[in-house]
Amino acid sequence: MHVGPSGAGNVAKLVNNMLVANHMVTTLEALRLGEAAGVHAEEMLKVVNAATGRSAISEIHYPNWVLPRSFDSGFSTGLMRKDLRLARELAAEAGVATPVADLAATLWAEGHSGLKDSDDFMLMGDPEVDRLSAKEKN
């Protein structure tokens, strides 16, 4: 797919992966809330994917790698962190605020998420692990 002059494809990739990192966090947050309120993640995904909250994360990634607990998508947490960092650097250079991506970067950090760079990035979405709050990090 052609998106423009030299470098435009890299910009598009970084923007896409910034969205993926954010979608993983927001989907995890939503599923953990649903489960805490008594609705299983599988049932929540049926509703989300039939409504306007759906994304590739909820439609493809969760059913194929997260809920079956295979966590073997072939894309590492380290690569996601790198792309998120580069997207934020691009935003800073362009003078564009990215407060949601900034928060996502904090949540994706190893010190917060507990994930190593070599871990599959699907592990960030595991609804059985609280990677979003600090309460389990102590």
Side-chain angles (χ1 to χ4, degrees):
M1 166 183 311
H2 181 76
V3 295
S6 180
N10 189 53
V11 170
K13 173 192 173 260
L14 294 176
V15 168
N16 179 75
N17 282 355
M18 180 183 74
L19 283 169
V20 171
N22 291 336
H23 290 174
M24 182 64 81
V25 168
T26 57
T27 303
L28 171 60
E29 182 177 67
L31 294 181
R32 284 186 54 82
L33 174 58
E35 289 211 333
V39 181
H40 293 291
E42 294 87 352
E43 298 305 314
M44 285 298 310
L45 281 177
K46 288 178 188 175
V47 173
V48 168
N49 289 333
T52 56
R54 68 186 174 275
S55 69
I57 291 291
S58 67
E59 290 183 311
I60 298 167
H61 293 80
Y62 266 84
N64 290 307
W65 294 293
V66 177
L67 296 182
R69 308 195 59 72
S70 62
F71 305 113
D72 60 355
S73 72
F75 192 74
S76 73
T77 297
L79 289 175
M80 180 55 77
R81 288 177 178 142
K82 174 191 64 83
D83 284 352
L84 189 52
R85 176 181 53 80
L86 291 172
R88 292 172 63 228
E89 288 173 3
L90 177 66
E93 290 169 14
V96 174
T98 57
V100 176
D102 294 344
L103 176 57
T106 298
L107 296 173
W108 276 88
E110 184 172 349
H112 192 95
S113 70
L115 296 172
K116 297 186 245 31
D117 281 348
S118 60
D119 289 332
D120 192 282
F121 92 110
M122 289 292 122
L123 283 163
M124 185 62 171
D126 186 354
E128 295 183 20
V129 179
D130 183 2
R131 298 196 191 281
L132 302 182
S133 71
K135 69 181 177 187
E136 292 183 9
K137 309 294 182 287
N138 299 327

